[in-house]
Amino acid sequence: MKQPPKWKFAVMVWIAIYPTITLVSILIGDYIKNLPLPLKTLIMTGILVPLMVFVLLPFLGKILGHWLKK
């Protein structure tokens, strides 16, 4: 299977990650705001990475599949 150009994959990742980081920050930001930065980062990435890998990127891959393969 032909891989999409890296710039198209980067755009797809950005489309997924920007709104997701914003939403997660709004939802849990007040709860973690007083924690040390490494712990905040651990919590955020613990939520975001599985969400990206198992939900958002496969979903966007289906939606943008034709564009990615052009």
Side-chain angles (χ1 to χ4, degrees):
M1 178 185 234
K2 184 181 174 195
Q3 295 295 317
K6 287 186 180 188
W7 74 268
K8 286 186 177 184
F9 189 75
V11 168
M12 184 179 75
V13 170
W14 181 81
I15 289 169
I17 207 159
Y18 176 76
T20 306
I21 288 173
T22 303
L23 181 62
V24 171
S25 294
I26 290 168
L27 293 175
I28 69 167
D30 286 342
Y31 298 104
I32 66 172
K33 68 182 175 187
N34 294 323
L35 297 175
L37 181 59
L39 187 54
K40 286 193 275 192
T41 305
L42 179 68
I43 292 167
M44 290 288 286
T45 57
I47 294 168
L48 293 166
V49 170
L51 189 58
M52 291 292 294
V53 171
F54 296 112
V55 179
L56 297 173
L57 291 180
F59 176 72
L60 284 174
K62 288 179 184 176
I63 291 174
L64 301 174
H66 181 70
W67 174 73
L68 285 170
K69 294 174 185 170
K70 279 187 176 180

